[in-house]
Amino acid sequence: MSGAWHPGDRVPAEHELMVEFDCSRMTVNRALSALADAGFVERRRRAGTVVARPRRQMAAIEIPDIEAQVEAAGARYRLETLSVDRIDGAAAPAVARLEGAAEVLAIVCRHHGDGVFALEERWINLDAVPRAAGVDFGRVAPGRWLLDYVPWTEGDYRIAAVAADPRLTVPADTPCLSFERWTSRGGQTITYVRQVFPGGFALTAGGSG
Amino acid sequence: MSGAWHPGDRVPAEHELMVEFDCSRMTVNRALSALADAGFVERRRRAGTVVARPRRQMAAIEIPDIEAQVEAAGARYRLETLSVDRIDGAAAPAVARLEGAAEVLAIVCRHHGDGVFALEERWINLDAVPRAAGVDFGRVAPGRWLLDYVPWTEGDYRIAAVAADPRLTVPADTPCLSFERWTSRGGQTITYVRQVFPGGFALTAGGSG
DNA sequence: TAGTGGTCTAGACCACAGC
DNA sequence: CTGTGGTCTAGACCACTAG
């Protein structure tokens, strides 16, 4: 972190650090493995450990659900559900990647804080989450419900700037942030959501390189 | 990952798993610690290990530099540097958080791929990176140079949608993605950058919850 | 083929926090 | 007080790969 070691520099071998720090090889290995996981060094058998050449920037972002975002901004949250429909999987838009699903729940809602905070269009795979059919999404936001009740293992995200959607009731020339997310578990898509935020929001993140 | 264990469920203690899987406690501990680091379980002394209640969505995003993005899209990259100025730290915009710096390098450039890809405004703290004063930023993009030569330990990011900047030479009503980044090491701000992309770009990410 | 990291073991002592 | 996880040790065998 001080920058004293430069990318490509050789890090002493485990047995040398073991002597230098008077500890066992297991302890050295755990430390170096942690550095390797964090991307600070690269390790290869026989070749040894070298300071990593940062090739890309990595960051861990934390995505609070919308209700938490609104409340963090000091406003009171209100959900307005525009429609909830049970449709055939083939009727879902292709972008949702839900072609294989027999039944899909299609939800459109608005999140309000101090004004309209976000528009959300969501498709839930009822084959993967049958319980969702019995939930009153007029009262609980789909994102919150899924977060609480449906574990997931893979997520894909896409962030882009788009023009305002008329359903946001903001001036048509307001630049908006589009946040898309595909959530799946074991290769099966659980839900696809597209959220549109007027103006944007902050993603706090950390990282190193 | 199968969802068979629900949030709050108790995970067997290390000595039980040791018997079940016929391995040493160290091995069990490493597995459970990895699961805890990944956020799948929570561990507390005496209380034991339980399946975590996902409270928020976390994702690790990978941010390639612009040159790599352009080339990944199949276009040829070209850098156009509009201005490079050595200024007083006090003259940098407050948002750059560079008030303490004696000297700052202010750079404005355009990244071209198939058309204008991005506009970049960057401020580099010359107190922290004196070598930057000798670099020809008309030939090498500041982001690429910094990535190669300046290690960093903390990064903050902000993503928002904004109107088009005239310097992007795209229609004024084109929604654009603004990507801001503060990079620091040991509490000292190294660089602040604001990049504006017409339309947006994809951030591929992974995560679990 | 020898040097390096990857991983496991059996045992130990300790810190912490429910009971 | 006691059950739990946190961490360390000394030693071992193995996998990979650069020279």
Side-chain angles (χ1 to χ4, degrees):
Chain A
M1 283 193 178
S2 73
W5 288 4
H6 294 94
D9 282 1
R10 179 69 177 273
V11 176
E14 294 191 351
H15 71 267
E16 295 176 80
L17 294 170
M18 202 172 129
V19 173
E20 180 176 348
F21 291 100
D22 189 28
C23 65
S24 73
R25 206 191 125 212
M26 186 67 164
T27 303
V28 171
N29 180 277
R30 295 226 310 158
L32 290 179
S33 298
L35 288 175
D37 286 346
F40 288 107
V41 301
E42 282 168 12
R43 318 196 74 198
R44 285 207 316 277
R45 289 172 157 133
R46 169 80 198 187
T49 302
V50 297
V51 177
R53 234 171 268 282
R55 285 266 130 262
R56 52 184 180 271
Q57 301 171 5
M58 289 283 290
I61 63 174
E62 186 173 316
I63 304 156
D65 71 10
I66 290 179
E67 187 166 340
Q69 282 186 61
V70 167
E71 282 164 1
R76 195 156 59 191
Y77 175 79
R78 185 168 68 83
L79 170 70
E80 179 193 8
T81 301
L82 301 180
S83 65
V84 179
D85 295 299
R86 240 171 132 140
I87 62 172
D88 193 273
V95 69
R97 302 179 195 160
L98 285 165
E99 294 83 357
E103 267 200 313
V104 168
L105 208 56
I107 303 166
V108 180
C109 58
R110 276 198 287 245
H111 302 273
H112 298 265
D114 192 11
V116 178
F117 187 80
L119 173 73
E120 172 171 336
E121 300 174 272
R122 185 183 287 271
W123 288 264
I124 302 174
N125 183 347
L126 286 176
D127 300 5
V129 195
R131 275 192 304 168
V135 178
D136 178 5
F137 288 117
R139 297 193 56 196
V140 60
R144 170 63 68 96
W145 183 83
L146 288 162
L147 187 59
D148 283 346
Y149 291 105
V150 183
W152 52 281
T153 54
E154 301 102 40
D156 285 330
Y157 302 82
R158 215 177 78 84
I159 298 175
V162 297
D165 188 291
R167 289 169 290 183
L168 271 172
T169 68
V170 294
D173 60 354
T174 307
C176 293
L177 203 59
S178 155
F179 188 86
E180 292 169 284
R181 175 188 160 92
W182 294 262
T183 305
S184 57
R185 186 174 69 230
Q188 185 181 40
T189 300
I190 296 172
T191 182
Y192 164 72
V193 64
R194 179 161 182 269
Q195 295 168 334
V196 181
F197 300 81
F201 61 99
L203 290 175
T204 305
S208 65
Chain B
M1 283 192 177
S2 73
W5 288 4
H6 294 93
D9 282 1
R10 179 69 176 273
V11 176
E14 294 191 352
H15 72 268
E16 295 176 79
L17 293 170
M18 202 173 130
V19 173
E20 180 176 347
F21 292 99
D22 190 28
C23 65
S24 74
R25 207 192 122 211
M26 187 66 165
T27 304
V28 171
N29 180 278
R30 294 227 312 159
L32 290 179
S33 297
L35 288 176
D37 286 347
F40 287 108
V41 302
E42 282 167 12
R43 319 195 73 198
R44 284 207 318 277
R45 290 171 155 131
R46 169 78 201 189
T49 301
V50 297
V51 178
R53 236 171 264 284
R55 285 264 129 264
R56 51 184 181 271
Q57 301 171 3
M58 288 283 291
I61 63 175
E62 186 172 314
I63 304 158
D65 72 9
I66 290 178
E67 189 167 340
Q69 282 186 61
V70 166
E71 282 165 1
R76 195 156 59 192
Y77 175 79
R78 183 167 69 83
L79 170 70
E80 178 193 8
T81 302
L82 302 180
S83 66
V84 179
D85 296 299
R86 239 170 132 141
I87 62 172
D88 192 272
V95 70
R97 302 180 195 159
L98 285 166
E99 295 84 353
E103 267 201 312
V104 168
L105 209 56
I107 302 165
V108 180
C109 59
R110 277 198 285 244
H111 302 273
H112 298 264
D114 191 12
V116 178
F117 187 80
L119 172 73
E120 171 171 337
E121 299 174 274
R122 184 183 288 271
W123 288 265
I124 301 174
N125 183 347
L126 285 176
D127 299 6
V129 195
R131 276 190 303 167
V135 178
D136 178 5
F137 287 117
R139 297 194 55 196
V140 59
R144 169 63 67 98
W145 183 83
L146 287 162
L147 186 60
D148 282 346
Y149 292 105
V150 182
W152 51 282
T153 54
E154 300 101 40
D156 284 331
Y157 303 81
R158 215 176 78 84
I159 298 173
V162 297
D165 188 290
R167 289 168 291 183
L168 271 171
T169 66
V170 294
D173 60 354
T174 306
C176 292
L177 204 58
S178 154
F179 188 85
E180 291 170 285
R181 176 189 160 93
W182 294 262
T183 304
S184 56
R185 184 175 71 230
Q188 185 181 39
T189 300
I190 295 171
T191 182
Y192 163 72
V193 63
R194 179 160 181 270
Q195 296 168 333
V196 181
F197 301 81
F201 60 99
L203 291 174
T204 305
S208 65

